[in-house]
Amino acid sequence: MISAEEVATLLKRRGVLDGTPVFLEEETQMPVPPLCEYGRYLSTALLDETTLKDYGRAVRRLDDHLAELGSDVLSAVESDLVSYRDHRTRWQDKPIGGSAWGKESFVQDDLYGFLVDRGVLTHRPARVAARGRNALAPRLRSSMDIRHLTFEQYRYFRDVGLGGQLPNSQVNPTFRGWSPLRGRAGSDIALGSGTRWREWSTVLLPEIGLWPGMPGGAAEFTVQACAKYGKDRPVYVPEDAVASADLFCLLERPDIVRRAARGLERKARDLFVVGDVDVAGGRVRGVMDGVVREFQMSAMDAKLRRITVYEGEFGLEALTLFVCRGGLMPGADAWKGYRHRAWTRMTELADETAPRLPARRWRWHDLRHTYALRLLTYLENLMDGEAGPPPPAPLLPDRAHPAQSAADRQPPTRSRQSRNHLPVSPVHGRSDQRVRGRLLRLGGRRRGDLRRDRLACPVRCERGR
């Protein structure tokens, strides 16, 4: 007779991780030993849950195709694998490109390498090219797809696509989008901070400074679990980008939170309910699965951040900045849908005043490329000995475009700005918006003139109710 404590210890020691691929027979629903062993092997590599699922789907597609040929993974020969490659890259309804096939060929090569190392197979079904290279991998190296936006393109993407305005900055009465300020705040943070999608879309309210007791202004925090390769680094969000997020929290977020509070109350057992937020130490403490847990904010992955809630004004509400109709953090598919619908609006409303749009829709990562390009341009000018402060916005016309007017080529007005970070000026749909020269003014005040705020005293610890 095994006790409950021994079961818990055994599961903690040898339990299957979330996202581990498990392969079952279609008729008997029994595990397929070699494929399940490979799935277990993948889980021990500490891969991301999304990566595990992608690898599992790749193996399943290979196994399904081999079954149609009257073969299987263990009895496949090289011609079977070549047939699968041609099916994926040439004959299926939507053939995949070289980059996608490169990932699948890697999984396929890794699978057969695992089976040979474990003694399940004596040799690989496909020949090995020179230097141990996978012979079925794509021969051509895909070039890097790096695009950036001009100032006009970004304004059009944010205000017309995400914000639901008309190209002339007036309100679009036919707009039926949901939470336009959320998309605009996300684009401002993405551009102003230069972070990746998974980093800015999972930010918590205390991290970005929108928490009781915090001074406001520019924010600086550390990303680690949601960063690429899990490497920690500091992130700076300029004041105007934080102001754009603050506007979303003021006008749209409360209504979303209020509508979803009752549903979150019913799901409380499956959520991480935070009761104590240590802003200075960057830690949160609460109850998850009936156990009191404490986490460093930077060490919280996207899955944990999505279920993190606290007791707010209307009941339980998400601790993340961005929320969707369900009251929790939007996922990858949701942000992809926001971007796709924005592109549809941009193309339908495009006229002679609209900036030139590319053949393929903009991606969130293009905003990171834009930030990097403007920062590198400023550093290049600095190394060339060109005097003057950093540009007032990271979306000034590119030097590669000679169509600038004489007024645009004048040196910008000197203003107090951060030496290391490029600001972004959000536009909130006011009637007095206008671009004068190269500075964006709102209500007569320069929103391009930013300074990096420093905390004069330690931030006190705020505890949730």
Side-chain angles (χ1 to χ4, degrees):
M1 187 72 179
I2 186 171
S3 64
E5 294 182 358
E6 292 174 335
V7 172
T9 303
L10 186 62
L11 290 176
K12 185 177 180 180
R13 177 184 175 188
R14 296 185 177 178
V16 178
L17 300 179
D18 293 339
T20 300
V22 178
F23 303 91
L24 305 176
E25 287 280 357
E26 184 175 356
E27 296 180 358
T28 62
Q29 293 297 301
M30 295 296 293
V32 181
L35 299 185
C36 288
E37 291 177 8
Y38 178 67
R40 178 75 175 186
Y41 157 77
L42 290 177
S43 67
T44 59
L46 298 179
L47 298 175
D48 184 75
E49 182 177 347
T50 304
T51 304
L52 287 174
K53 292 181 179 180
D54 292 340
Y55 285 7
R57 295 188 185 102
V59 175
R60 185 201 64 191
R61 286 191 292 265
L62 172 63
D63 186 61
D64 291 343
H65 181 79
L66 294 176
E68 295 178 358
L69 300 178
S71 180
D72 55 40
V73 173
L74 299 182
S75 60
V77 295
E78 184 175 21
S79 60
D80 296 333
L81 302 184
V82 172
S83 172
Y84 176 67
R85 180 194 62 185
D86 293 341
H87 168 72
R88 292 286 288 157
T89 59
R90 298 175 60 187
W91 309 122
Q92 66 179 15
D93 294 338
K94 293 183 178 180
I96 61 176
S99 177
W101 171 246
K103 296 178 182 178
E104 290 216 13
S105 65
F106 166 78
V107 177
Q108 179 179 300
D109 186 63
D110 189 59
L111 168 64
Y112 282 107
F114 167 80
L115 295 177
V116 172
D117 293 341
R118 295 298 175 92
V120 180
L121 295 176
T122 58
H123 61 279
R124 298 169 183 261
R127 64 187 184 277
V128 179
R131 300 178 181 176
R133 184 173 51 84
N134 180 12
L136 299 180
R139 299 278 77 81
L140 298 178
R141 293 184 179 181
S142 59
S143 59
M144 300 182 66
D145 184 13
I146 299 178
R147 299 186 301 173
H148 68 280
L149 288 75
T150 63
F151 179 78
E152 292 77 12
Q153 287 174 330
Y154 174 71
R155 285 285 301 272
Y156 190 74
F157 171 59
R158 185 193 63 182
D159 296 340
V160 177
L162 298 172
Q165 295 182 1
L166 294 174
N168 59 3
S169 299
Q170 296 182 358
V171 176
N172 183 5
T174 63
F175 177 69
R176 294 296 181 268
W178 177 263
S179 297
L181 293 180
R182 177 182 55 197
R184 294 170 61 155
S187 62
D188 285 339
I189 295 176
L191 180 65
S193 62
T195 51
R196 297 178 176 86
W197 165 83
R198 196 170 184 179
E199 297 166 351
W200 61 259
S201 67
T202 59
V203 66
L204 303 177
L205 290 172
E207 290 178 326
I208 203 168
L210 302 178
W211 191 254
M214 300 191 70
E220 189 169 359
F221 58 94
T222 301
V223 295
Q224 183 259 316
C226 294
K228 189 174 183 179
Y229 304 127
K231 295 183 178 180
D232 63 322
R233 72 176 193 279
V235 170
Y236 176 82
V237 183
E239 181 181 356
D240 278 12
V242 177
S244 182
D246 190 21
L247 186 67
F248 162 68
C249 292
L250 179 66
L251 299 182
E252 289 182 354
R253 196 176 188 276
D255 184 60
I256 302 175
V257 169
R258 179 180 57 82
R259 293 172 181 268
R262 183 174 299 179
L264 294 182
E265 291 287 351
R266 294 192 295 265
K267 303 176 183 177
R269 292 184 178 181
D270 300 326
L271 303 176
F272 175 39
V273 183
V274 172
D276 185 6
V277 178
D278 182 4
V279 177
R283 305 185 70 87
V284 292
R285 181 184 178 90
V287 178
M288 184 172 62
D289 297 330
V291 181
V292 178
R293 303 289 302 274
E294 184 174 347
F295 296 97
Q296 189 78 21
M297 293 187 196
S298 60
M300 297 173 63
D301 57 17
K303 185 177 180 180
L304 178 58
R305 288 170 178 253
R306 190 176 190 276
I307 63 173
T308 301
V309 298
Y310 72 100
E311 189 70 28
E313 178 182 359
F314 307 103
L316 291 182
E317 64 175 277
L319 192 64
T320 53
L321 167 63
F322 298 107
V323 292
C324 58
R325 295 189 180 186
L328 299 178
M329 182 184 75
D333 292 339
W335 283 104
K336 183 178 180 180
Y338 305 154
R339 178 172 57 88
H340 285 198
R341 288 190 290 271
W343 179 263
T344 301
R345 286 190 289 269
M346 293 165 61
T347 54
E348 290 178 350
L349 296 175
D351 54 17
E352 64 278 359
T353 63
R356 187 168 67 104
L357 298 178
R360 293 179 292 110
R361 62 174 69 94
W362 294 115
R363 303 167 303 176
W364 294 114
H365 203 74
D366 294 331
L367 301 179
R368 174 175 168 84
H369 294 162
T370 304
Y371 171 87
L373 177 66
R374 299 307 170 184
L375 181 60
L376 291 174
T377 301
Y378 164 68
L379 295 177
E380 180 184 350
N381 294 338
L382 194 64
M383 294 179 63
D384 291 342
E386 298 181 11
L395 294 173
L396 300 180
D398 194 351
R399 293 193 302 175
H401 296 278
Q404 288 179 271
S405 63
D408 288 340
R409 289 194 293 266
Q410 295 297 325
T413 306
R414 181 176 296 274
S415 59
R416 299 172 298 170
Q417 301 191 32
S418 167
R419 294 175 298 173
N420 302 323
H421 304 282
L422 297 178
V424 57
S425 300
V427 181
H428 301 321
R430 295 173 50 173
S431 59
D432 55 351
Q433 299 170 8
R434 54 194 178 276
V435 178
R436 297 179 180 177
R438 299 170 72 177
L439 284 178
L440 179 65
R441 298 173 182 267
L442 297 181
R445 185 169 66 90
R446 289 181 179 178
R447 299 300 301 271
D449 296 347
L450 302 178
R451 64 181 182 276
R452 184 173 183 176
D453 296 332
R454 296 290 185 182
L455 299 180
C457 58
V459 180
R460 71 182 180 203
C461 173
E462 290 292 330
R463 297 181 180 273
R465 293 182 295 173

